[in-house]
Amino acid sequence: MSLRKAYLIVFIILFVDQLSKIYIKTNFIYGESGQIDVTNWFKILLIENEGMAWGTVIPGAYGKLFLTVFRLVAVTGIGYWLWDSVKRKHSSNYLIVAISLILAGAFGNIIDSVFYGVIFDDSYGHLATLFTDKPYGTWFHGRVVDMLYFPLFEGNWPDWLPIIGGNHFKFFNAIFNVADMAISIGVGILIVFNKKAFHQQH
């Protein structure tokens, strides 16, 4: 696969990711439960997080800045990995597509972290404004926008289970975005098609 095609994959994912985030951010109010119930098991719900998995936060005044800078370094490394894999000529298309998806996803969430704090106001209790004169944060301190929610089923754990017995659970409870999907699919390709991905074509 050519570098041009790889970059096209990255661009398409980035475009869809950012378009969906901007639309959701400017048309939904933060955390309103069941804003759009597409089906019983698929909902669109705006939440925001600091950019780590499951909404984890690095404590301290510079925690968010450290995370953003770290991700910028990481995405630079992934970008080099993609360029190097294409230039080797013998790299598998599985590998190139997987790296392209991971790069697009990582870059998509970095855009939120770097820019959203200074181009949006907040979404609490009202619709956010794009290019506002009252931004909710500063450079490198933006929050990542998530909106895709798939509560496939829910119920109670059996009473006989220790600790969690009788407690209510919901599966799948994570809320994510297009960038997260791209990263997950890319990693999934590397795991499921490991031999094909790292096989050198001749």
Side-chain angles (χ1 to χ4, degrees), residues 56-196:
T56 306
V57 176
I58 299 178
Y62 297 101
K64 173 63 177 179
L65 179 61
F66 172 81
L67 173 63
T68 303
V69 171
F70 172 79
R71 294 176 72 175
L72 284 168
V73 173
V75 83
T76 301
I78 298 169
Y80 175 77
W81 185 20
L82 176 61
W83 177 84
D84 184 60
S85 297
V86 172
K87 291 301 180 183
R88 288 178 183 271
K89 302 294 185 183
H90 301 299
S91 295
S92 163
N93 286 342
Y94 285 90
L95 178 63
I96 295 173
V97 169
I99 300 173
S100 299
L101 290 171
I102 295 170
L103 177 62
F107 196 33
N109 284 336
I110 283 176
I111 291 174
D112 298 28
S113 296
V114 174
F115 299 106
Y116 277 23
V118 295
I119 65 173
F120 284 109
D121 56 4
D122 67 62
S123 301
Y124 299 93
H126 61 87
L127 297 177
T129 303
L130 180 61
F131 302 124
T132 179
D133 57 356
K134 295 180 180 179
Y136 71 78
T138 57
W139 293 100
F140 295 92
H141 287 82
R143 296 188 292 265
V144 176
V145 175
D146 293 322
M147 78 292 289
L148 303 175
Y149 182 33
F150 291 86
L152 298 179
F153 58 87
E154 59 183 299
N156 295 316
W157 293 106
D159 291 332
W160 52 265
L161 285 174
I163 302 176
I164 61 173
N167 291 342
H168 187 77
F169 73 90
K170 187 178 291 184
F171 182 89
F172 173 69
N173 205 32
I175 303 174
F176 52 96
N177 56 44
V178 173
D180 296 330
M181 287 178 59
I183 294 172
S184 298
I185 294 171
V187 172
I189 290 173
L190 294 180
I191 294 173
V192 176
F193 301 101
N194 182 272
K195 290 184 178 179
K196 292 182 178 179

